[in-house]
Amino acid sequence: MKKKIVMAAALAATASMVAPATAVAQDDELDFLLEDAAPRSSSPRPSPTPTPAAEPQAAAQGEQGGAERAQPAPQSTATPQPSQAAEAEPPLDVIPLPREDGPPIETQPAPRGRAIEEIVVTAQRREESLQDVAISMTVFDQEQLSDANITNSADLAIYTPGLTSNARFGNENATFTIRGFTQDLRTTASVATYFAEVVAPRGQSSQSSGDGAGPGTLFDLQNVQVLKGPQGTLFGRNTTGGAILLVPQRPKDEFEGYVEATGGNFEQRQIQAVVNVPLSESLRIRLGVEDKQREGHLNNVTGIGADKLGDVNYTAVRASLLWDLSDNIENYTILQYVDSDSNGYTTRLFACNNLIGTDGISEPSPFALVTAPQCQRQLDAQEASGRNGYYDLASTVRTPITLIEEKRFINTLTWHLSDDVALKNILAYTHLLTKNGSNIFGTYFQDPTDPSREFSAGASVVNPKIPVTNQESYIAEVQLQGSSFSDRMIWQTGLYYETSKPDGPSGNIAASFLYCDLGSLESGDPSTYNCNDPFAGQLGGVLVQEFETEYLNQAVYAQATWDFNDYFNMTAGLRYTWDETEGYGVKRRYAYLLTVQQAPVVTVSTPRTESDAPTGMIEFQYKPFLGTMTYVKYTRGYRQGSVNLAADAGVDTHEPEKVDTYEIGAKTQFGGPVPGRFNISAFYNDFTDMQLQFGYISRAGGPTTSIANAGKAEIKGFEADAFLQPFESLTAILSYSYLDTELLEQDQEAQCDRIRNVGLIEGFTCTPIAAVGDNLPFAPRHSAVGSLIWTLPFPASLGTINIGTTYVYTGDMRVAASSESPFAVLPSFELWNLNLNWSDIFTLPLDLDVYATNITDKQYMTYVGGTYNVIGIESRAMGQPRMIGARLKYRFGAQGG
């Protein structure tokens, strides 16, 4: 593969030598089609000054895979460079004539191609056109997020081909997967999420939390940029899958703002308000608030705890201050607070293993002796009661809850040391607190001797003394960016430091493989626990966890782009990272001899791991003619090792994983009668020391997981994005991702042997998340999103009315090992959305949006537990049903004009 890159680079260099001789001929032939396309690289490059993404009028109306709204004869409003303005040609619809023979002759303007707006991104920590960046990307603007009702990580993944999410613990705690690079439970993130260039706060190891785009972070944004593939040179943490950039709106020079109210089915009520105030010529402030409530779509049939789950209830407040300290120094500060308090999620029990594996789809399960009869009784009882709908489930936790409280402080100082060099200093503090209480598998197996008790295969309740997550992080980064050699070289270098420390212990209370009154566990007082274990404490028990994990990440990096000529450039980057993780865990297991509580067994663990590694990239770009850029690149990605306090000693640490990525692609932009863009990339990933999840049942901790460097995998595929505007009133958008993934090697026996060393039951229940020959989890082979937007031909006095429809297809997707469950692969699903946007209603500063997501009310799964052959039951998480709503926005100040 390396030989192929060298050959491609040689071909590109050869082409660059002959390109000047053929450029004139090419330009003459393609002038009509490309005259409105992106400027050549010979035009001044984007400023190397490290500033945030362009203001919304300069940034593109992002696209779903570059989606944009249809606009009559759109024109870019980005501020041109001085040399661009000086060299600007006359408008395309004006033909200049000589004046010496008298006044100009009036002529009919010549028909010319329509232009499309430029999309400005910050994927390389500086402003650039999307078409000049050799990264496969999907970009959303704020209007698209609102139209699709996207408010969290799981929503965002639905509308981005190649991006999926693991919503095992609910949409608010979903984690991202890109191109098959997955964050398993108790690994660090494979996809990093950045808000205003600062990575999202870390969660704890007992359950998934943090690391994603949680509630309240997706409002008042310039755009969201999904970067696919390793981003291991320029960004904070090293990740193997990619990065997601959330770019908030910056304070502006004009007084403006809006108030927006939304209502919809499931009693949805949402208020959003933003005001921007210039306090002086040098000081601007922007304030925003979002409050959203929605009833849950999951129906609890037990009468215990909340009747509805899957609800939404959060408030987010953001304040931004932009201060020009001098002509050369700018200080940008963001304060954000999010408080989300909902009933959380529970999976639905839907399949039962039999006792001897004779149903044709299962293997014998030893635990089916207990679980299979009760599982079938529960399903039969639900059907007999008439409460057996797709969204009907059993939750027996008295206080079901998913609470997320997040605080962020970000300060960015930018100092222009000269016309060619700028220094940026980023300081940030984040704090994440979460609580969670849920019936993990959705079971309700009552104790025949006391119906208040139930047999729990895995239920987690809130510990009143400590939260599930209580983590604070400090981030510091220094960047130096500039240009040299008459702008032929654009470069940047920097230092990165991040420490994440516990702000006290974290954990929860869990009951497994015994009968317990879950309400009695919520007291946090072991003397009040009401439990019964007919197996005399040999397997089950009540587990009380107290975990503390500390992370330290440090790095130094540099990257530079060199323009050899107008057609050919090369980019190279290098980063060296040092990572340390250490934990302190206390597990107290209370076993029972029938109803008699035994003395707790206390286990203390202090795992520690550290690693360091170089990562980097090399990339060659060739621009054969106006509006076309081709590239070939190699990237080394790396994800740190870590500790796993929920696992037993001996299997509670794992080492880093690494990936070598080879990618080739092209980005084209064209004018003519049908202007548009077409971008395509093909990639191959060689994945080694892959961090894989192994589930097992611990006598000290109940059902848990261990992470091992047990795998080697191959990931290859391609992605394509198209944007076309066949008419001024019609826009068509299509994004597609194809993934071919396979687990090539897995040292399952070695890892299960290590787990077997912990104990006989532990080794007997060792279960990998994937088997050799399986495709990787959360990596659908096919995924696509298509949209049509039509601007209705109404007079301007009525305003502008757009009608849009979006189609989403997600192919079959593995979420568990084929050897462990017949339901390991989720079936494909299709979704349709509709939206109507009426802006400037009767020329007033009013906008009305009406939307419907999943208009066919498609029932689809987003997760299964993969416990069919081990525990003898299977549970699933379900996607959202049809959502309908309307949104009215009033704009004032500059926005109201």
Side-chain angles (χ1 to χ4, degrees):
M1 182 59 68
K2 293 181 180 178
K3 291 182 178 178
K4 294 180 181 178
I5 288 186
V6 173
M7 290 174 63
L11 287 172
T14 303
S16 71
M17 296 177 188
V18 301
T22 59
V24 175
Q26 288 175 331
D27 289 349
D28 289 343
E29 294 171 3
L30 298 170
D31 177 69
F32 177 64
L33 287 178
L34 302 175
E35 58 195 356
D36 294 320
R40 282 189 183 280
S41 60
S42 56
S43 299
R45 298 172 59 87
S47 170
T49 303
T51 57
E55 300 293 350
Q57 66 266 27
Q61 304 294 319
E63 57 179 284
Q64 202 151 299
E68 299 182 33
R69 294 185 176 278
Q71 298 290 341
Q75 299 292 332
S76 174
T77 56
T79 303
Q81 299 291 335
S83 58
Q84 287 177 308
E87 298 172 7
E89 297 179 358
L92 295 176
D93 57 353
V94 175
I95 301 176
L97 296 175
R99 291 180 174 270
E100 51 207 75
D101 293 331
I105 301 173
E106 293 186 6
T107 62
Q108 187 69 24
R112 311 295 276 183
R114 296 187 308 277
I116 59 174
E117 288 195 51
E118 182 184 41
I119 295 180
V120 177
V121 297
T122 53
Q124 298 189 107
R125 311 297 293 270
R126 64 177 188 263
E127 292 180 15
E128 297 174 284
S129 169
L130 172 69
Q131 298 304 103
D132 291 332
V133 181
I135 298 174
S136 181
M137 298 176 60
T138 298
V139 184
F140 296 87
D141 66 12
Q142 184 63 64
E143 291 182 74
Q144 290 171 305
L145 297 174
S146 300
D147 288 346
N149 204 26
I150 295 174
T151 59
N152 55 51
S153 300
D155 296 336
L156 185 63
I158 288 287
Y159 299 99
T160 309
L163 174 69
T164 56
S165 67
N166 182 344
R168 177 179 184 178
F169 294 102
N171 288 349
E172 292 92 342
N173 289 317
T175 56
F176 288 120
T177 296
I178 290 180
R179 292 181 176 175
F181 294 93
T182 302
Q183 178 181 1
D184 287 320
L185 181 63
R186 300 176 183 123
T187 65
T188 58
S190 61
V191 178
T193 304
Y194 295 85
F195 181 86
E197 299 191 82
V198 174
V199 72
R202 289 185 184 271
Q204 255 293 353
S205 60
S206 56
Q207 293 181 355
S208 296
S209 60
D211 296 317
T217 58
L218 296 178
F219 85 101
D220 196 33
L221 300 179
Q222 291 184 37
N223 57 44
V224 174
Q225 304 168 32
V226 180
L227 282 53
K228 302 172 185 178
Q231 308 296 321
T233 302
L234 295 179
F235 284 93
R237 292 186 203 149
N238 266 291
T239 54
T240 47
I244 296 177
L245 313 183
L246 311 181
V247 185
Q249 292 281 9
R250 286 160 51 93
K252 303 177 185 177
D253 293 327
E254 297 179 298
F255 173 73
E256 65 172 27
Y258 66 87
V259 178
E260 180 181 278
T262 303
N265 61 341
F266 293 95
E267 300 185 12
Q268 178 180 343
R269 301 179 302 278
Q270 182 176 356
I271 294 292
Q272 213 179 94
V274 171
V275 60
N276 187 98
V277 180
L279 302 177
S280 68
E281 290 185 0
S282 61
L283 189 64
R284 288 89 73 192
I285 190 170
R286 189 176 183 92
L287 305 173
V289 62
E290 181 179 46
D291 182 84
K292 182 175 181 178
Q293 290 89 37
R294 195 197 70 219
E295 185 181 71
H297 61 283
L298 304 175
N299 308 309
N300 181 16
V301 302
T302 66
I304 301 173
D307 293 330
K308 297 285 186 179
L309 302 175
D311 60 320
V312 176
N313 179 30
Y314 69 81
T315 301
V317 180
R318 187 184 307 154
S320 305
L321 185 70
L322 188 60
W323 187 7
D324 296 327
L325 300 176
S326 71
D327 291 342
N328 299 321
I329 303 177
E330 172 192 275
N331 189 271
Y332 179 31
T333 301
I334 300 176
L335 294 170
Q336 178 166 289
Y337 175 77
V338 177
D339 183 13
S340 176
D341 187 356
S342 70
N343 296 329
Y345 283 74
T346 291
T347 58
R348 187 198 195 282
L349 184 71
F350 75 97
C352 313
N353 199 335
N354 67 10
L355 300 180
I356 56 175
T358 59
D359 55 3
I361 61 172
S362 64
E363 296 181 6
S365 169
F367 300 104
L369 291 169
V370 176
T371 59
Q374 299 197 71
C375 173
Q376 197 58 54
R377 278 197 295 271
Q378 178 179 328
L379 295 184
D380 291 344
Q382 277 191 235
E383 185 172 6
S385 68
R387 304 194 67 183
N388 195 38
Y390 191 76
Y391 301 102
D392 294 337
L393 48 76
S395 173
T396 53
V397 174
R398 302 294 170 89
T399 310
I401 186 173
T402 293
L403 182 145
I404 301 173
E405 185 181 85
E406 184 181 289
K407 304 170 186 175
R408 300 193 199 204
F409 165 80
I410 302 171
N411 181 265
T412 303
L413 181 73
T414 304
W415 183 7
H416 301 275
L417 302 176
S418 69
D419 292 339
D420 298 322
V421 179
L423 176 71
K424 178 187 280 188
N425 183 70
I426 301 174
L427 295 173
Y429 169 80
T430 64
H431 189 282
L432 179 66
L433 183 145
T434 71
K435 295 181 180 180
N436 184 271
S438 65
N439 187 329
I440 296 172
F441 298 113
T443 58
Y444 189 23
F445 304 160
Q446 291 179 291
D447 185 347
T449 65
D450 183 352
S452 69
R453 296 192 291 251
E454 62 173 289
F455 184 84
S456 173
S460 172
V461 302
V462 172
N463 187 330
K465 300 176 183 178
I466 59 174
V468 168
T469 303
N470 193 11
Q471 199 82 359
E472 60 182 1
S473 299
Y474 298 87
I475 298 106
E477 183 172 5
V478 178
Q479 296 177 18
L480 194 65
Q481 296 190 14
S483 62
S484 303
F485 306 105
S486 302
D487 289 344
R488 293 183 68 87
M489 185 173 76
I490 303 295
W491 54 268
Q492 57 184 301
T493 185
L495 301 171
Y496 181 80
Y497 174 88
E498 176 189 351
T499 180
S500 182
K501 298 181 179 182
D503 191 17
S506 304
N508 55 6
I509 301 173
S512 57
F513 298 105
L514 80 167
Y515 293 100
C516 278
D517 176 356
L518 298 182
S520 70
L521 306 184
E522 293 185 7
S523 68
D525 181 0
S527 66
T528 66
Y529 295 171
N530 176 16
C531 298
N532 172 29
D533 189 350
F535 304 106
Q538 296 303 304
L539 179 63
V542 177
L543 178 69
V544 180
Q545 304 168 331
E546 293 186 19
F547 296 157
E548 297 184 41
T549 309
E550 184 172 342
Y551 304 88
L552 176 63
N553 308 100
Q554 302 173 88
V556 57
Y557 64 88
Q559 181 168 306
T561 299
W562 178 266
D563 282 339
F564 291 97
N565 53 41
D566 291 344
Y567 301 90
F568 186 64
N569 67 50
M570 182 186 77
T571 300
L574 182 65
R575 183 186 190 96
Y576 205 94
T577 302
W578 297 266
D579 298 308
E580 298 179 19
T581 310
E582 58 182 324
Y584 176 78
V586 178
K587 290 181 281 192
R588 292 180 176 86
R589 177 177 174 266
Y590 294 87
Y592 284 79
L593 181 61
L594 297 179
T595 60
V596 179
Q597 185 183 96
Q598 307 299 296
V601 177
V602 181
T603 304
V604 177
S605 61
T606 57
R608 185 178 188 279
T609 185
E610 60 181 75
S611 59
D612 60 275
T615 54
M617 56 86 71
I618 184 167
E619 165 199 311
F620 298 92
Q621 279 192 26
Y622 173 55
K623 299 181 179 180
F625 41 79
L626 188 65
T628 298
M629 183 270 284
T630 61
Y631 66 90
V632 59
K633 64 188 297 188
Y634 162 79
T635 307
R636 162 61 67 93
Y638 151 90
R639 178 165 58 150
Q640 71 176 90
S642 191
V643 303
N644 178 6
L645 293 171
D648 292 283
V651 291
D652 55 358
T653 63
H654 53 276
E655 297 302 312
E657 66 182 14
K658 60 181 181 292
V659 61
D660 293 302
T661 298
Y662 308 88
E663 185 168 338
I664 186 170
K667 295 192 173 186
T668 64
Q669 181 164 312
F670 43 88
V674 182
R677 273 185 296 270
F678 180 73
N679 301 336
I680 188 168
S681 65
F683 51 87
Y684 174 86
N685 300 286
D686 185 11
F687 204 0
T688 55
D689 296 326
M690 184 179 180
Q691 297 171 4
L692 287 173
Q693 177 180 290
F694 287 75
Y696 70 97
I697 297 174
S698 167
R699 286 175 297 170
T704 188
T705 61
S706 172
I707 306 298
N709 298 93
K712 181 176 181 180
E714 180 182 76
I715 302 173
K716 54 188 175 183
F718 71 90
E719 293 154 345
D721 299 305
F723 171 88
L724 295 172
Q725 198 170 34
F727 308 102
E728 289 188 0
S729 60
L730 183 65
T731 300
I733 303 154
L734 177 64
S735 298
Y736 172 76
S737 172
Y738 171 81
L739 283 175
D740 182 4
T741 67
E742 183 181 0
L743 182 60
L744 300 176
E745 297 177 11
Q746 178 177 236
D747 197 355
Q748 179 175 338
E749 280 305 312
Q751 179 63 8
C752 286
D753 283 345
R754 286 190 286 270
I755 294 175
R756 204 171 286 119
N757 290 335
V758 176
L760 180 62
I761 291 177
E762 285 82 353
F764 181 74
T765 57
C766 178
T767 306
I769 195 174
V772 172
D774 280 354
N775 52 334
L776 297 181
F778 299 98
R781 185 175 292 268
H782 303 282
S783 56
V785 177
S787 297
L788 284 175
I789 306 168
W790 180 35
T791 301
L792 301 182
F794 289 119
S797 59
L798 294 179
T800 302
I801 302 176
N802 294 325
I803 295 178
T805 181
T806 298
Y807 167 79
V808 176
Y809 174 81
T810 301
D812 296 347
M813 180 170 65
R814 178 175 302 283
V815 293
S818 58
S819 58
E820 302 305 323
S821 174
F823 306 101
V825 177
L826 304 182
S828 62
F829 61 87
E830 300 172 274
L831 303 177
W832 283 95
N833 294 352
L834 288 175
N835 58 275
L836 181 147
N837 309 105
W838 186 5
S839 57
D840 299 313
I841 301 174
F842 299 116
T843 68
L844 298 174
L846 287 175
D847 302 330
L848 174 66
D849 291 348
V850 180
Y851 65 88
T853 59
N854 189 11
I855 59 174
T856 62
D857 212 15
K858 174 70 175 179
Q859 296 175 348
Y860 62 100
M861 292 189 290
T862 60
Y863 179 82
V864 296
T867 57
Y868 193 84
N869 290 344
V870 177
I871 301 179
I873 61 175
E874 195 63 276
S875 303
R876 68 187 176 208
M878 295 82 72
Q880 292 183 346
R882 178 171 50 234
M883 297 284 177
I884 300 172
R887 181 181 302 109
L888 184 65
K889 176 189 285 188
Y890 170 71
R891 295 172 280 110
F892 55 85
Q895 284 196 19

